[in-house]
Amino acid sequence: MKDFFQKILKIAVYCLLFIVNNKVNATHIVGGQLSYTCLGNNRFAITLVVRRDCINGDPEVYFDQPAEIGVFNGGPDYALAWRVGIDGKINIEFEKDDTIREKADFFCANPGQEVCVHQSVYRTVIYLPFNENGYIIAYQRCCRNMTISNIVSPLETGTTFAVRISKADLENCNSGPLFGPYPPIYTCVDRQFVFDHSAIDKDGDELVYSLCLPTIGRTKLDPKGIPTLPPYDSVILKPAYSINNLLNPNNTGIALKIDPKTGILTGVPNTIGQYLVGVCVTEYRNGVKMSTSTRDFEMNIVVCGIKPLSTFDVASDLCRGLDLTFKNNSKDATSYEWYFDFPNNLNLKSTLENPTFKFPSQGKYTVVLVAKNGSCVDTFRRFINISSGIKGDFKYTLSCLPDIKLNIQDMSTSGGTINSYLWNITGGAVNLTSTVKNPVFDIPNYGSYVVKLIVKDDNGCIDTLSRTLDLKGVEIDLIVNNYEICKGDSVHLVKNPDSRLIYTWSPTTGLNLKTPSDPIASPEVTTTYKVTVTDGNCSVE
């Protein structure tokens, strides 16, 4: 299926290849940050934001409840700061979480392939006594999405969110800068990207922005727990990328940049994929560096445009032959490709908006409509049964008095197999039904009756037939049973001859059957003649 559409559409069907629906291999961390705010009296509010892929991640498995943060001596040994907790470990509880699923109307994703981000926020307040070396606070987790394009071994590359609370922070009750909203989940390929990634500093310090590399964390074999000792290594970029060009391989296109004063991110990504980006903000007070805060996130580069909606109806009766007309109900599409026997015969196709197509034979077909708007594509398929038609028909015979029986023989035809019959006989006080193929009905009297037949075949085709029958008995008036004539004379045997009836005489010796309805008998010897008369339905002897 995928290979086929890659061929027929002649575009790179991205289908958000960075999304993987395998919970065993697809991991979940897609960004986050750690920040701090001084509350006075050596008390600091710590806020941890963790963002995960909520399509492939399980919140019960992948979100820590609670999260474990480590508080470490700021150097030189970076040991756990035992005075602030048991071995420097602090459990930090959920405060709130939210699922962020941006509308995907503006880009070309197929249903079920949109990106979903689940963001959880943890908060706690800790006491940090004065320390000449300050503190490092960290949280670690595994793992990042394996489909990240610009780093080495993303499946084995976890994340560390860390902040340094410096000596100056402790002395001045300084709070770190706080970033605003995250960038949009989606970014358009080959289009200008602009995003205000500025932060706010409650102390009014000077802020300087830069792109930076996020740090690594835990592995799959050891996915969570108390963080390892600082310092923490940065992720390793693939050779085609650099800190000066995180989105476009081999330094092509317009690189992602951030204005150091305003925090405005700009760039023109030229390759579809998923990319890890880090933004650092450093605060200065009177020219003295106070702290640096880091945020990392994933940028999902997608094909943007108006995504068409593909759908159609069959305007013809599927039970009335092989020529079908299709009604295209697609929206926001500029061109179309129809495949009438997908995937068996891809040569049976059309590019008309509302095509009429003659199918080679009756049977089951899969019809696919590919609706396009530039490089944006949507597909719709419908399974149809095509029949050469169904037609109800029957013939009958009538058994005459004293027991009048209407014997019906089905003569219906169908391109499929007829699997349902419904007969109904009405007339006078008669109302009889049957569901067998060849029913026999007991009729109380001669007269006019309506026979209705509804037939249905395995293609779902239905036909209804209604026919009025004038049921009459056969009347014949013969000469008396014993009639004497002289040898050489002749006599007419039927008093009421009717040429519309069929007369069968026995024996035929001595009979002139030029007109069977009015035979002339001239027997040489005494002879007994018998006759069977029928109108094609009813017979008498």
Side-chain angles (χ1 to χ4, degrees), residues 35-78:
S35 59
Y36 64 96
T37 301
C38 182
L39 303 178
N41 298 318
N42 296 99
R43 295 168 62 249
F44 287 82
I46 306 298
T47 301
L48 169 67
V49 177
V50 181
R51 291 161 66 91
R52 71 175 185 92
D53 180 341
C54 56
I55 291 178
N56 302 295
D58 184 339
E60 297 299 324
V61 175
Y62 293 121
F63 271 148
D64 298 329
Q65 302 184 46
E68 295 177 313
I69 64 172
V71 182
F72 302 92
N73 182 34
D77 57 3
Y78 299 109

Side-chain angles (χ1 to χ4, degrees), residues 97-208:
D97 62 338
D98 188 22
T99 297
I100 305 165
R101 187 186 292 273
E102 293 179 0
K103 290 188 66 176
D105 295 344
F106 69 93
F107 81 100
C108 307
N110 290 327
Q113 295 181 317
E114 295 86 358
V115 174
C116 171
V117 172
H118 188 184
Q119 175 173 292
S120 287
V121 179
Y122 303 78
R123 296 186 195 275
T124 192
V125 175
I126 62 175
Y127 175 75
L128 295 176
F130 181 77
N131 182 355
E132 186 73 22
N133 298 314
Y135 298 92
I136 294 177
I137 300 174
Y139 167 80
Q140 285 184 335
R141 198 58 167 85
C142 176
C143 294
R144 299 183 186 274
N145 277 333
M146 65 181 296
T147 46
I148 296 177
S149 303
N150 61 347
I151 68 172
V152 174
S153 301
L155 189 59
E156 284 292 344
T157 301
T159 182
T160 298
F161 302 131
V163 292
R164 174 185 289 274
I165 299 179
S166 66
K167 172 185 175 182
D169 291 330
L170 297 171
E171 290 176 332
N172 298 284
C173 191
N174 180 62
S175 298
L178 300 177
F179 285 111
Y182 278 80
I185 293 176
Y186 306 107
T187 301
C188 298
V189 69
D190 296 325
R191 293 190 189 178
Q192 178 74 32
F193 169 77
V194 179
F195 178 74
D196 184 353
H197 209 291
S198 60
I200 297 175
D201 185 76
K202 63 176 293 187
D203 303 308
D205 296 323
E206 179 188 3
L207 301 181
V208 178

Side-chain angles (χ1 to χ4, degrees), residues 32 144 148 150-152 157-162 210-217 232-238 241-247 256 275-281 292-297:
R144 299 183 186 274
I148 296 177
N150 61 347
I151 68 172
V152 174
T157 301
T159 182
T160 298
F161 302 131
S210 64
L211 294 175
C212 56
L213 294 179
T215 51
I216 63 175
Y232 303 111
D233 295 328
S234 299
V235 297
I236 300 175
L237 294 175
K238 290 181 178 179
Y241 300 89
S242 69
I243 191 64
N244 295 319
N245 211 329
L246 292 171
L247 305 183
L256 184 69
Y275 300 88
L276 180 62
V277 175
V279 172
C280 290
V281 56
T292 298
S293 296
T294 304
R295 167 190 279 180
D296 73 54
F297 55 93

Side-chain angles (χ1 to χ4, degrees), residues 317-321 387-394 410-424 434 451-467:
D317 187 346
L318 295 174
C319 301
R320 290 294 180 266
S387 174
S388 57
I390 183 172
K391 184 174 179 58
D393 195 11
F394 66 91
D410 174 60
M411 301 295 290
S412 302
T413 58
S414 170
T417 300
I418 298 177
N419 53 21
S420 175
Y421 296 87
L422 179 59
W423 301 88
N424 182 223
S434 176
V451 179
K452 183 178 181 180
L453 168 63
I454 301 175
V455 286
K456 182 178 180 180
D457 65 16
D458 57 352
N459 291 324
C461 299
I462 298 175
D463 190 39
T464 300
L465 170 68
S466 188
R467 184 181 297 169

